Amino acid sequence: MSTLSYSLTDLSPEHQPPHQHLRYVTSSSFGSDWNGVLHSHDCTELFYVTDGEGWLCTDETRIPLRKNNLVIVNPKVHHTERSSPEKKMHYIVLGIDNLQFRFHEGETFSPFQIFQLSSHREMILSLLHTILEELQKKQTSYEEVCQHYLSILLLQLHRITGKEFSFAPPTDIPYECQRAKAYIEEHFHEPVTLERIAAIVHWDKFYLSHQFSAAFSVSPINYLLQLRITHSKRLLCDTDYSITQIAESSGFSSQNYFTQAFKKLVGVSPRAYRQKHQK
């Protein structure tokens, strides 16, 4: 594997950008010595595939990558990159502190996003190569120049992707808690258990419950119940489904359990709620 890597020292306060800070830049070409072990960073990684093909691998999935893919990976996300043996992958990576991307996919937490930017290759490579050149030459104020080019790159990406993401300040909420919350939001209508959620994030179920409650002021199971009740309210108001059908589609194991849980949280039975609110 052939790698050129550069580290940036902290800028003085008067030169510190108001938001993001470029921590490192790496230009990599895959070789037989590459060890694609799952890992995570406490910064956001942005990498652009300049040539070849490969995969982005996470705990749960493997997504194909090809030339001109731009990949954004939020902090603390377990991932690695693997190259196709036939078409060796080459890419440039930026490590960015004090920045987390919020992707516009509803309320669900998204650990990463991939964009195909073939039509903008020249512009993106120009900015990335300029940053690399500044780091190689180390002329006066080169670090500050790199930070400004990073700002330009991020703004351009925001523009050319149709504003599919927004910049968010970094969060102290553990990635595992965010992932657990996203899993609950995606699967609340299924038979979800605390044990299953804990297995997804590789935490002990008691530790997960404690950390999740500290992060979101609600336990994982109570959050699951809230989502199911909210979903059932919409079905009660907007459909003619039977109470049994609504219970099943909202993730409840039985109509009796649904009725008990609904009355406890809402104060009235599902039937009474429908009579009052159905359009």
Side-chain angles (χ1 to χ4, degrees):
M1 179 176 179
S2 174
T3 299
L4 295 174
S5 185
Y6 306 93
S7 296
L8 280 75
T9 58
D10 290 336
L11 298 179
S12 57
E14 63 270 21
H15 291 154
Q16 185 70 39
H19 301 295
Q20 68 280 345
H21 173 72
L22 184 62
R23 182 192 294 189
Y24 59 80
V25 181
T26 301
S27 177
S28 295
S29 300
F30 280 84
S32 59
D33 59 337
W34 174 251
N35 184 13
V37 177
L38 287 174
H39 61 281
S40 64
H41 306 277
D42 59 359
C43 63
T44 290
E45 277 203 333
L46 184 154
F47 62 90
Y48 185 74
V49 181
T50 59
D51 202 6
E53 296 179 358
W55 298 270
L56 173 69
C57 303
T58 69
D59 287 322
E60 302 172 12
T61 188
R62 183 168 119 148
I63 301 173
L65 296 177
R66 55 181 53 89
K67 184 177 178 179
N68 298 318
N69 276 164
L70 175 81
V71 184
I72 300 172
V73 182
N74 271 323
K76 303 177 183 177
V77 175
H78 293 101
H79 70 284
T80 191
E81 306 82 41
R82 296 193 174 108
S83 176
S84 163
E86 294 81 19
K87 298 181 179 180
K88 301 293 185 182
M89 192 163 65
H90 306 263
Y91 63 83
I92 298 173
V93 183
L94 307 183
I96 308 170
D97 282 323
N98 199 32
L99 179 68
Q100 176 171 284
F101 288 87
R102 182 183 295 117
F103 304 110
H104 294 169
E105 296 181 354
E107 296 299 321
T108 300
F109 169 72
S110 181
F112 63 87
Q113 189 69 282
I114 300 173
F115 301 96
Q116 175 54 245
L117 301 179
S118 300
S119 59
H120 302 279
R121 175 182 174 86
E122 184 176 349
M123 181 271 292
I124 293 173
L125 282 181
S126 175
L127 289 169
L128 293 174
H129 287 157
T130 299
I131 292 173
L132 281 169
E133 185 178 354
E134 287 289 332
L135 291 168
Q136 289 168 347
K137 293 183 176 180
K138 290 183 168 57
Q139 295 178 339
T140 303
S141 302
Y142 76 96
E143 291 186 334
E144 185 178 5
V145 170
C146 287
Q147 304 299 341
H148 285 295
Y149 273 110
L150 171 63
S151 296
I152 294 170
L153 175 62
L154 293 175
L155 290 171
Q156 289 284 10
L157 292 176
H158 195 274
R159 176 187 295 170
I160 65 182
T161 56
K163 298 186 178 180
E164 294 183 31
F165 57 82
S166 58
F167 305 133
T171 176
D172 292 330
I173 296 175
Y175 164 71
E176 289 80 1
C177 289
Q178 297 181 65
R179 183 69 191 95
K181 184 172 181 284
Y183 181 83
I184 294 170
E185 290 168 352
E186 293 168 6
H187 300 277
F188 70 87
H189 55 284
E190 301 172 8
V192 176
T193 64
L194 182 60
E195 289 78 8
R196 174 58 180 162
I197 303 169
I200 290 292
V201 301
H202 307 292
W203 270 4
D204 172 81
K205 65 178 182 179
F206 300 108
Y207 184 70
L208 169 63
S209 184
H210 174 75
Q211 292 295 320
F212 192 99
S213 298
F216 302 115
S217 300
V218 63
S219 71
I221 296 304
N222 282 339
Y223 183 63
L224 171 65
L225 185 59
Q226 289 174 7
L227 289 178
R228 287 174 170 173
I229 293 297
T230 299
H231 181 70
S232 69
K233 283 181 176 180
R234 183 181 64 79
L235 295 181
L236 286 167
C237 293
D238 298 341
T239 75
D240 293 323
Y241 295 165
S242 68
I243 302 299
T244 299
Q245 288 175 316
I246 291 174
E248 291 177 354
S249 65
S250 300
F252 290 95
S253 56
S254 70
Q255 179 182 333
N256 286 339
Y257 175 45
F258 167 54
T259 300
Q260 292 172 5
F262 192 97
K263 191 169 184 178
K264 183 177 180 179
L265 266 69
V266 183
V268 296
S269 69
R271 196 174 305 278
Y273 183 87
R274 165 174 272 175
Q275 290 173 349
K276 182 177 181 180
H277 296 281
Q278 191 172 41
K279 298 175 182 178

